[in-house]
Amino acid sequence: MAEILALVEARLRTALGEPDARAAVTFLGTDRIEVLRFIDGDVVRYATLGMSAQPMSDPTAVVADPLKGPRAELVLSVRGGLADTDQVLRKLAVLAASPQVEGLVVAPGASLDVGEPLWPGAPFTSVLVAESGGLVEDLELDEPLEPVRFLPLLPMTQNEAAWKRVRGAQELQEKWLSQGTDLRDPLRRSVTLD
């Protein structure tokens, strides 16, 4: 586990630079989850560290396989200085712990909801999990371990989350793209949905 997390942190540092802050959260019965903060000009990136220590397993499996299963970390990017986005640290740790706590398999296209604003004044309580491989490349591990995927999180308003449940993740992403939505704006309003 420690070896995997060392490789994950090295990959994050290679892709995003040196973190300027880190926080750790431990939930009862789970491994420690850290959240690292990276500053890149006017963009602040938060990345989890610890979610990939254990593979995510099918919640219907009788026994979780200690080696096989998808592994992931979460990455959230927002514009700095517009809101107190550092308050998202605990919520990201909660989302990163959800595979251990709730038996969730976090995958692209999924919605994750924390039930309260991601940070003070945020119009978002949930995120859409996007495809990996963009900002931080997947980290290959030795067989039989699956690669660690760095999954971007895209904040969704309640209206967008409801629309996504009906129409799907792909259509919501196309709607954002067609309207030139700045998904890094921590105070943005919902896109126009028809």
Side-chain angles (χ1 to χ4, degrees), residues 3-4 7 12 20 62 65 98 119 126 140 164 168 182 190:
E3 181 181 318
I4 290 172
L7 293 170
L12 287 168
D20 80 321
V62 176
D65 189 316
S98 62
W119 49 81
S126 63
E140 297 294 329
K164 181 255 174 197
D182 180 3
S190 184

Side-chain angles (χ1 to χ4, degrees), residues 16-191:
L16 306 176
E18 286 299 310
D20 80 321
R22 63 194 310 143
V25 179
T26 304
F27 303 99
L28 188 63
T30 67
D31 296 326
R32 172 181 157 130
I33 302 287
E34 288 188 85
V35 180
L36 284 60
R37 182 179 71 187
F38 300 87
I39 307 290
D40 181 15
D42 70 336
V43 176
V44 181
R45 300 187 200 285
Y46 302 94
T48 63
L49 178 63
M51 181 177 172
S52 62
Q54 304 294 330
M56 293 180 274
S57 57
D58 181 346
T60 62
V62 176
V63 177
D65 189 316
L67 298 177
K68 293 186 179 177
R71 294 175 189 263
E73 296 290 353
L74 307 175
V75 181
L76 174 69
S77 300
V78 294
R79 297 222 179 276
L82 302 176
D84 186 11
T85 56
D86 282 351
Q87 298 297 314
V88 78
L89 297 176
R90 183 164 179 78
K91 285 143 184 129
L92 281 178
V94 167
L95 295 177
S98 62
Q100 288 182 56
V101 175
E102 300 173 32
L104 292 178
V105 175
V106 178
S111 300
L112 303 174
D113 196 316
V114 295
E116 60 183 340
L118 293 176
W119 49 81
F124 321 105
T125 62
S126 63
V127 293
L128 174 65
V129 181
E131 291 286 341
S132 67
L135 185 63
V136 184
E137 285 184 40
D138 294 348
L139 173 65
E140 297 294 329
L141 300 174
D142 293 336
E143 292 289 335
L145 306 180
E146 292 187 29
V148 176
R149 305 201 186 286
F150 298 88
L151 302 171
L153 300 180
L154 308 174
M156 293 187 292
T157 65
Q158 289 182 348
N159 286 345
E160 291 167 343
W163 200 79
K164 181 255 174 197
R165 280 191 295 276
V166 174
R167 305 290 286 271
Q170 183 65 36
E171 285 200 36
L172 178 58
Q173 289 178 302
E174 288 171 8
K175 184 68 74 173
W176 282 335
L177 191 60
S178 71
Q179 294 185 25
T181 307
D182 180 3
L183 296 173
R184 294 178 180 165
D185 181 351
L187 300 173
R188 75 171 178 83
R189 301 218 181 278
S190 184
V191 294

